[in-house]
Amino acid sequence: MRQMKRRVGFRATAYLFTFVVILYVAVFMNTPYIVYQPGSASEVAPMIQVQNADKDEKGTFMMTTVSASYANVALLVASVFNSNAEVVLKETRLGDKTEQEYAAEQVYYMNSSQSYAVQAAYHAADIPYKDVVDYLYVFSVPVTGNQEQFKPGDKIISVEGQTIPDPDALSKLLSTKKIGDPAVVVLQRKGKEVEETVKLVEVKNQQTGVVKPGLGVVIGAVQKVKPEMEGKMVSFVDTDVGGPSAGLMFTMEIYNQLTPGDLTKGHRVAGTGTIDPDGKVGAIGGVKHKIVAADRKGAEIFFVPVQNYEEAKAKADKIGTDMKLVPVSTLADALKYMQELPVKS
């Protein structure tokens, strides 16, 4: 009897151990793959605040996204049965960046996209503006830098008690110090202020070979756009989305709120595409996933960069959507299409 109980106990332990191993492999073990799928199609109006805005909007402009997940085994297996899933190697997305550096880069691109969208909308609406640096942003921290004190995605608030308006001002301030000197840096990290005392490291200019003291981080300047007319300020709420591809749709919504009338004409309008300050629309990645996301949200019209049109049309034909695909190369193309579109009855 005791031997039977021992055997039962051993089997139960073996089954439990096997279950734990399978659970770990399926859910927690990393794989070298990323799974792309259709993301969301979200109204951009709630993401944008325009002073004295014309809120007469019966339809909606929507930005579209791609869902990208670092895959576990369970997700890889599920993707086999999902016709909209695309499996790729992580390195095709990350290159030589870490996941944290890539995420920080995408946030920077989103912020830059928003600045460009405001500039393009002001330009189209004949509103004069000026472009100034809002803050300095940490892209990455090289192994030779201060990895304990800085994290990708940090905002630099001040250095040695001084607000730093641009990269040149930072370089000028640090030039008064020596390599190895301490510097007090105030950062914003995940919404909280953090003070760090860092040791200045050697920074070498790759073009001139000149060596100077630096923070040991790779930074970028995030721009802020200020109108030169009262009551036309544009700001954004946090979107929790990275990348530059919402530029066109941000611009359409901003222009609609800056100018009288309803540019949507009552239609549900989705789209994608980068934007530059002059209104040029650029190509994006993952358009086939964005087509599916827009179709699921009932979009009637989808603006697509001309460079992505063939891929977008192939996917639209495959899923049998009634959505109208409109290829554009400039903001003016998209505005002209909407201005000539009849009001939805």
Side-chain angles (χ1 to χ4, degrees):
M1 185 63 119
R2 289 181 179 176
Q3 288 181 342
M4 183 178 294
K5 286 183 177 179
R6 286 196 193 100
R7 284 197 295 269
V8 171
F10 176 78
R11 288 175 183 171
T13 303
Y15 290 149
L16 179 61
F17 177 77
T18 302
F19 172 76
V20 170
V21 170
I22 292 173
L23 181 66
Y24 172 78
V25 170
V27 179
F28 298 105
M29 191 173 77
N30 290 328
T31 73
Y33 297 100
I34 291 175
V35 176
Y36 291 114
Q37 301 181 72
S40 62
S42 305
E43 296 184 14
V44 296
M47 305 176 190
I48 297 168
Q49 296 176 338
V50 179
Q51 283 183 318
N52 302 310
D54 183 341
K55 295 290 188 179
D56 180 22
E57 189 170 279
K58 300 297 189 297
T60 184
F61 288 116
M62 295 182 285
M63 60 175 279
T64 50
T65 66
V66 178
S67 170
S69 304
Y70 295 106
N72 56 25
V73 174
L75 183 56
L76 286 178
V77 172
S79 67
V80 174
F81 305 97
N82 182 353
S83 62
N84 290 317
E86 177 186 10
V87 180
V88 301
L89 285 168
K90 278 184 183 179
E91 62 188 38
T92 63
R93 173 185 171 98
L94 300 179
D96 59 356
K97 305 179 188 69
T98 66
E99 292 177 16
Q100 293 74 26
E101 288 171 344
Y102 180 83
E105 182 180 73
Q106 294 306 300
V107 171
Y108 176 81
Y109 287 153
M110 169 58 81
N111 291 334
S112 296
S113 175
Q114 292 171 347
S115 294
Y116 293 157
V118 176
Q119 292 178 67
Y122 281 158
H123 183 74
D126 293 323
I127 296 173
Y129 65 88
K130 58 183 178 180
D131 190 22
V132 298
V133 175
D134 191 15
Y135 58 86
L136 300 184
Y137 184 84
V138 177
F139 274 111
S140 63
V141 189
V143 293
T144 56
N146 289 298
Q147 293 190 317
E148 295 298 319
Q149 287 80 26
F150 293 100
K151 304 297 178 187
D154 285 348
K155 296 180 182 179
I156 299 177
I157 305 301
S158 67
V159 178
E160 291 291 89
Q162 297 186 36
T163 302
I164 307 300
D166 55 52
D168 288 339
L170 176 61
S171 180
K172 184 177 180 180
L173 172 63
L174 297 182
S175 68
T176 64
K177 294 180 172 293
K178 299 176 182 178
I179 295 169
D181 283 353
V184 177
V185 182
V186 176
L187 306 166
Q188 187 180 93
R189 182 179 299 155
K190 297 181 179 179
K192 297 180 179 180
E193 283 200 0
V194 178
E195 183 176 293
E196 299 281 5
T197 300
V198 304
K199 184 180 290 187
L200 299 181
V201 301
E202 178 182 300
V203 176
K204 186 176 182 179
N205 188 305
Q206 297 300 319
Q207 295 179 333
T208 65
V210 174
V211 174
K212 57 183 181 179
L215 298 178
V217 295
V218 178
I219 62 172
V222 175
Q223 303 298 118
K224 185 174 184 178
V225 186
K226 294 184 177 181
E228 295 182 347
M229 292 173 58
E230 290 292 329
K232 295 295 183 180
M233 190 69 188
V234 178
S235 58
F236 288 81
V237 301
D238 289 337
T239 60
D240 234 6
V241 177
S245 64
L248 172 62
M249 301 315 293
F250 281 148
T251 309
M252 298 288 283
E253 179 62 42
I254 294 167
Y255 179 86
N256 194 27
Q257 293 192 34
L258 286 172
T259 57
D262 180 13
L263 189 65
T264 71
K265 307 287 185 69
H267 296 274
R268 293 181 62 79
V269 185
T272 187
T274 66
I275 198 79
D276 74 8
D278 294 323
K280 182 179 178 181
V281 177
I284 51 84
V287 71
K288 60 186 177 183
H289 302 299
K290 295 176 180 181
I291 289 292
V292 176
D295 181 64
R296 288 174 177 174
K297 282 290 188 172
E300 304 158 55
I301 298 164
F302 190 95
F303 286 114
V304 58
V306 290
Q307 303 95 317
N308 298 114
Y309 178 74
E310 292 303 323
E311 181 185 357
K313 186 176 185 307
K315 188 64 177 182
D317 291 344
K318 186 175 181 179
I319 65 175
T321 181
D322 294 327
M323 191 166 53
K324 170 70 174 176
L325 263 61
V326 181
V328 294
S329 58
T330 65
L331 171 63
D333 293 340
L335 293 179
K336 183 174 184 291
Y337 181 89
M338 293 305 303
Q339 288 161 351
E340 294 178 350
L341 191 69
V343 176
K344 187 177 180 179
S345 57

